[in-house]
Amino acid sequence: MTRPPPSARTSTLRFRTPLVAGLVALLAAIVVALGHPLLKPSSDSTATPGQDSSPFLPAPSLSDRPPSHAPHRESRGALDEADGVVPDGVTVLDDEVPAVANLDAELLDALRRAAQNAADDGITFTVNSGWRSAAYQKELLRKAVAQHGSEAEAARWVATATTSPHVSGDAVDIGPDRATDWLSEHGSAYGLCRIYRNEPWHFELRTDAADRGCPRRYADPTQDPRMRQ
C-alpha cells in the first residue's frame, strides 16, 4: 500500500490534537461538576474522626435506630426449695429440706422407720417429691396440660392445688425402683400404701393398713373421690 506524503500526515496530526485536547477538557469539567473526592480541596483530609468523605449517606447511628423490645420477664420469682422443689439425692432423713420437713409428722415417722429396715437390705429411700406449695402444684399442673394436651389427660397424673395430697403434706414420691418395690411389698406393715396403679412411686399413710392391708388401688387420680372435691 502507498503511504501518504509527509504533508498529509502533518495535516492529520494537526486535526487530531485539538480534538483530543477538547475531549480531555470536557471530561475534567464533568469530573469537577460531580464532585469526585480526588478533586476535593485538601482541607477535607483534616476532617475529624467519624466524618465520612464518601459520596454515599452514612448508615444511621445506633441512637437513630428504633429501640428493641426488652425481654419478657416472669412477674413472679422462680420456684425453689421453699416451694418444695427437691435437690438431687435427698432422703427421708433430710430435715432441712422443706419437701421433707413439711410432710405430715406421722407419714414422715412411718417413712423413717421403714427406711431403717430397708437399709438392712442395702436400699435407700430417695425423695423425688414430697410437700409442695400451692404455687408449685399449679406450675406442675400447667406443665402437665401442655405435655398431655388437655386438662382431662393431665388430671391422670397431676392433681389441682386444692386437691393434691402433696400440698397438704400427705403424700411422698419415692425412688429409685428398688425402694418402691421394697415399699410395695413391705410398706403396709408401716401403714405406707401405694394409692394409684399408674404411679408406683406415690405413697400415702393409711394407719389401719398394718391390720387390714392397703386399700384397693385406683387406676389413676381421676378415679380418686378426693380429686372431685
CSV table of all heavy atoms in Angstrom, one decimal, residues 114 121 181-192:
chain,number,residue,atom,x,y,z
A,114,ALA,N,-39.5,-47.3,108.1
A,114,ALA,CA,-39.4,-48.3,107.0
A,114,ALA,C,-38.0,-48.1,106.4
A,114,ALA,O,-37.4,-49.1,106.0
A,114,ALA,CB,-40.5,-48.0,106.0
A,121,ASP,N,-31.3,-54.1,103.9
A,121,ASP,CA,-31.3,-54.8,102.6
A,121,ASP,C,-30.5,-54.0,101.5
A,121,ASP,O,-30.6,-54.3,100.3
A,121,ASP,CB,-32.7,-55.0,102.1
A,121,ASP,CG,-33.5,-55.9,103.0
A,121,ASP,OD1,-32.9,-56.8,103.6
A,121,ASP,OD2,-34.8,-55.8,103.1
A,181,ASP,N,-40.2,-50.9,95.0
A,181,ASP,CA,-40.5,-52.3,95.0
A,181,ASP,C,-40.5,-52.8,96.5
A,181,ASP,O,-41.4,-53.6,96.8
A,181,ASP,CB,-39.5,-53.1,94.2
A,181,ASP,CG,-39.6,-52.9,92.7
A,181,ASP,OD1,-40.7,-52.3,92.3
A,181,ASP,OD2,-38.7,-53.2,92.0
A,182,TRP,N,-39.6,-52.3,97.3
A,182,TRP,CA,-39.5,-52.8,98.6
A,182,TRP,C,-40.7,-52.3,99.4
A,182,TRP,O,-41.4,-53.0,100.2
A,182,TRP,CB,-38.2,-52.2,99.3
A,182,TRP,CG,-37.9,-52.8,100.6
A,182,TRP,CD1,-37.0,-53.8,100.9
A,182,TRP,CD2,-38.4,-52.4,101.9
A,182,TRP,NE1,-37.0,-54.1,102.2
A,182,TRP,CE2,-37.8,-53.2,102.9
A,182,TRP,CE3,-39.3,-51.4,102.3
A,182,TRP,CZ2,-38.1,-53.1,104.3
A,182,TRP,CZ3,-39.6,-51.3,103.7
A,182,TRP,CH2,-39.0,-52.1,104.6
A,183,LEU,N,-41.1,-51.0,99.2
A,183,LEU,CA,-42.3,-50.5,99.9
A,183,LEU,C,-43.6,-51.1,99.4
A,183,LEU,O,-44.5,-51.3,100.2
A,183,LEU,CB,-42.3,-49.0,99.6
A,183,LEU,CG,-41.6,-48.1,100.6
A,183,LEU,CD1,-41.7,-46.6,100.3
A,183,LEU,CD2,-42.1,-48.3,102.1
A,184,SER,N,-43.6,-51.5,98.1
A,184,SER,CA,-44.9,-52.1,97.7
A,184,SER,C,-45.1,-53.5,98.4
A,184,SER,O,-46.2,-53.9,98.6
A,184,SER,CB,-44.8,-52.3,96.1
A,184,SER,OG,-44.8,-51.1,95.5
A,185,GLU,N,-43.9,-54.1,98.7
A,185,GLU,CA,-44.0,-55.4,99.4
A,185,GLU,C,-44.2,-55.3,100.9
A,185,GLU,O,-44.9,-56.1,101.5
A,185,GLU,CB,-42.8,-56.2,99.0
A,185,GLU,CG,-42.8,-57.6,99.6
A,185,GLU,CD,-41.6,-58.5,99.2
A,185,GLU,OE1,-40.8,-58.0,98.4
A,185,GLU,OE2,-41.4,-59.6,99.7
A,186,HIS,N,-43.4,-54.4,101.5
A,186,HIS,CA,-43.4,-54.3,103.0
A,186,HIS,C,-44.1,-53.1,103.5
A,186,HIS,O,-44.2,-53.0,104.8
A,186,HIS,CB,-41.9,-54.3,103.4
A,186,HIS,CG,-41.1,-55.5,102.9
A,186,HIS,ND1,-41.3,-56.8,103.4
A,186,HIS,CD2,-40.2,-55.6,102.0
A,186,HIS,CE1,-40.5,-57.6,102.8
A,186,HIS,NE2,-39.8,-56.9,101.9
A,187,GLY,N,-44.5,-52.1,102.7
A,187,GLY,CA,-44.9,-50.8,103.2
A,187,GLY,C,-46.2,-50.9,104.1
A,187,GLY,O,-46.3,-50.1,105.1
A,188,SER,N,-47.0,-51.9,103.9
A,188,SER,CA,-48.3,-51.9,104.6
A,188,SER,C,-48.0,-52.1,106.1
A,188,SER,O,-48.8,-51.7,107.0
A,188,SER,CB,-49.2,-53.0,104.1
A,188,SER,OG,-48.5,-54.3,104.2
A,189,ALA,N,-46.9,-52.8,106.5
A,189,ALA,CA,-46.5,-53.0,107.9
A,189,ALA,C,-46.3,-51.7,108.6
A,189,ALA,O,-46.4,-51.6,109.8
A,189,ALA,CB,-45.3,-53.9,108.0
A,190,TYR,N,-46.0,-50.7,107.8
A,190,TYR,CA,-45.7,-49.3,108.4
A,190,TYR,C,-46.9,-48.4,108.1
A,190,TYR,O,-46.8,-47.2,108.5
A,190,TYR,CB,-44.4,-48.8,107.8
A,190,TYR,CG,-43.3,-49.7,108.0
A,190,TYR,CD1,-43.0,-50.6,107.0
A,190,TYR,CD2,-42.4,-49.7,109.1
A,190,TYR,CE1,-41.9,-51.5,107.1
A,190,TYR,CE2,-41.4,-50.6,109.2
A,190,TYR,CZ,-41.1,-51.5,108.2
A,190,TYR,OH,-40.0,-52.4,108.3
A,191,GLY,N,-47.9,-48.9,107.4
A,191,GLY,CA,-49.0,-48.0,107.1
A,191,GLY,C,-48.8,-47.2,105.8
A,191,GLY,O,-49.5,-46.3,105.5
A,192,LEU,N,-47.7,-47.6,105.0
A,192,LEU,CA,-47.4,-46.9,103.8
A,192,LEU,C,-47.9,-47.7,102.6
A,192,LEU,O,-47.6,-48.9,102.4
A,192,LEU,CB,-45.9,-46.8,103.7
A,192,LEU,CG,-45.2,-46.0,104.8
A,192,LEU,CD1,-43.7,-46.1,104.7
A,192,LEU,CD2,-45.6,-44.5,104.7
